[in-house]
Amino acid sequence: MKKILQYIKIIKLGDTFVIVTFMGLIFWSVSQSWNMPSGQYLKIENNQEDSKVFSLNQTVNKQVIGFLGSSEISIAEGKVRFVKSPCTKKYCIHHGWINKINQTIVCLPNQITISIVGDSESYDTVNY
Amino acid sequence: MRFHKLLLIVILFLVSCSQKAPIYEHKDFIFGTIVDIKIYGETEEKSENISNLIFNDFKRLHNYLHPWEKSLISSMNNAIAAGSVFNVDDEEIIRIIQDNKNLASKSENYFNPAIGKLIALWGFHQELPNQMVPKAHQINELLANVTTMDDLKINQSTLSSANRNFQLDLGGYAKGYALDRAKKILANNGVANALVNIGGNIIAIGMHGDRSWIVGIQHPRKPSAIASIQLPPGWSIGTSGDYQRYFMDHDKRYSHLINPRTGFPADNSQSATIMIPPANNSGALSDAYSKPLFIAPEIEKLQLADKLGIDFFMVVLANGDILISSKMNESIQWLEQNNEKNITVH
Amino acid sequence: MTQSIIKPTKKDHTIAKLAAIAIVLSVIEFFLPSPIPGIKPGIANIIILYTLVRFDFSTAAWVSLVRVFVSSIIVGSFLSPTFFLSLFGAIVSLVLLYAVQKLPKPYFSIVSLSLIASFGHIVGQFIIARLWIIPHDSIFNLLPLFLISALIFGLFSAFVCNILLKHKLKKHTF
């Protein structure tokens, strides 16, 4: 008991800071893993045609034609973002990456929506 | 005021719930495989009744077309083997046979439903295959005078064949034909949106709400889908693969897809998938025409696809490389990383 | 020039002694059952910490790396994935320790050193595991569990090391 008390005494201001940071990291990692699962598929909707679903399990850039012109989205192993857009404010690009189910980026000016969907929506039946 | 808002939210919530378009799914085990019917946007009662109509028709077809169990076809095969003439007082079977003659001749007999005897020799006329490669002389005997649909003569309501080795096996046709039957039953009962899957052969009726039905395509060597594709209204999709019915002998795979020209199971492909646009017999086509693309040698596959008018096809070759038509390539969504695959677009 | 080229210095002796203790602790820990696979108290870290405070960084680095190599040879995991996990964990841990030991002493005690060392082990092992063993992000679901255990065992190691340091300082051994 005495030794534990002695031990607590050696904890200094900087140590407290390290311990608090460590606990913060734990909380962050717990909240991250609770937010799982990440989605497996990307759904792209534009003003022209039916929505299309792509696998997120690839690294590729895709051109999507919208109202103003062609936007470019980048799929990178489980996440997706806008990289080019003909819109003026570029909110869609500043939004950055999305990877969790139901996360969505809407580019209103160019009328393109990209959203993450889970496995369940990827197909209705299997051909074998 | 606040209460009113709450009420409004509750009502909106209930409305949105009740408008959620329902899908009813019915599964049964027929044709030695799983039959899965999804009906979109009908009441549960109606969808169940119609599913039962379809299942009952499939059971009828099973007892009618089964290649080796007791069926009309088996009786005909027995009669032909005995050298006698078989009387059928049945328009449907005559139509089916005519259709098979037609498909076989167009596919240069790569689709050949007349080689039941060869398939039985390889042990695929039983639930569990023999696991034994037949002796060369047995195969050669059948190859020497290989049976084709041309051997079967139709004379009004009598069937006969001069070649007593003739054995009709509709294993590569019956499921597709059943799809076309299902389509008719759904249409007759006013179902506009449904998806029917018979052991992997699929037909799309209408849509899944505001989008097309989406079908996953099985990876021939993994327990997952290799890709998915939208199946537009009325389209059918069929796959021939060496991973469903096969046996291994000395590390070599022998599948039930026998090349009528060599007498051996075709071994240049792992799977062949085709999509057929709406037609009266699109289901049957999607079943039958996947065989030529699976069986034919690699160099002949493309010509054959052109000749048969198949614009949408994908073949996974024996080494895992993929041969895909440009139209299929445009609509397909790969579900796994492609960097290890070698894809040739035709 | 008559001397042999490799003459053990006093420092070498120190390293050898401390590494021997660390190795024994590692091997004991290897045979102790763990409640959750992959999670270990890392009691050998007590020795590394002790060495760092009592001697210097380079001695601690030597002890740490000798420990990783020799203990893996003893338990038969040399060059196996376990070995690389442990090696990379040790390396990241040392790199962080090198930075942290330069922090002002009045504000940062052995507690910080210990926590950051155990954090380094987790980070290093996760990097290797993500890149090589389970190349999928799902592995990060394990992170909370490992971080919590790193916090607990980090505090524990600092506690034990603190006692050791006091003890040894009185007796002037090592």
Side-chain angles (χ1 to χ4, degrees), chain A residues 29-113:
Chain A
S29 67
V30 169
S31 69
Q32 282 294 304
S33 59
W34 274 347
N35 282 341
M36 290 273 185
S38 16
Q40 294 290 307
Y41 299 97
L42 163 70
K43 195 160 90 179
I44 300 177
E45 290 156 289
N46 63 6
N47 60 327
Q48 317 225 314
E49 48 189 356
D50 290 346
S51 65
K52 283 192 171 167
V53 178
F54 298 89
S55 172
L56 278 179
N57 203 1
Q58 53 184 331
T59 302
V60 71
N61 281 20
K62 280 188 186 296
Q63 303 292 333
V64 187
I65 309 297
F67 180 69
L68 296 174
S70 174
S71 291
E72 187 173 328
I73 59 159
S74 169
I75 304 175
E77 297 302 323
K79 55 188 186 184
V80 64
R81 66 171 298 170
F82 275 95
V83 287
K84 278 186 200 142
S85 173
C87 60
T88 47
K89 296 199 170 143
K90 316 280 185 205
Y91 285 139
C92 52
I93 299 173
H94 294 307
H95 195 286
W97 297 102
I98 55 171
N99 64 339
K100 298 274 188 297
I101 291 172
N102 293 333
Q103 280 184 325
T104 301
I105 305 176
V106 184
C107 183
L108 278 178
N110 205 19
Q111 299 180 11
I112 295 174
T113 305

Side-chain angles (χ1 to χ4, degrees), chain A residues 41 53-54 77 124-127, chain B residues 38 197 200 214 216 239 333:
Chain A
Y41 299 97
V53 178
F54 298 89
E77 297 302 323
D124 301 304
T125 195
V126 180
N127 158 258
Chain B
K38 284 189 169 78
N197 183 342
I214 298 171
T239 291
Q333 309 298 333

Side-chain angles (χ1 to χ4, degrees), chain B residues 31 58 61 65 99 170-183 198 201-203 236-238 280-288 291:
Chain B
F31 295 121
F58 288 0
L61 289 179
L65 305 177
D99 199 23
L170 296 179
Y173 176 88
K175 289 185 218 160
Y177 179 75
L179 287 179
D180 293 327
R181 292 282 313 167
K183 180 172 71 181
I198 308 174
N201 292 71
I202 299 159
I203 193 164
S236 310
I237 186 167
N280 281 339
N281 62 344
S282 66
L285 287 178
S286 72
D287 194 359
K291 274 80 197 168

Side-chain angles (χ1 to χ4, degrees), chain A residues 7 12 14-15 22 25 29 36, chain C residues 106-107 109 112 141 147 155 159:
Chain A
Y7 176 62
K12 295 175 185 148
D15 296 334
F22 213 118
L25 260 174
S29 67
M36 290 273 185
Chain C
Y107 297 107
S109 74
S112 292
N141 284 335
L147 283 176
L155 288 172
F159 173 65

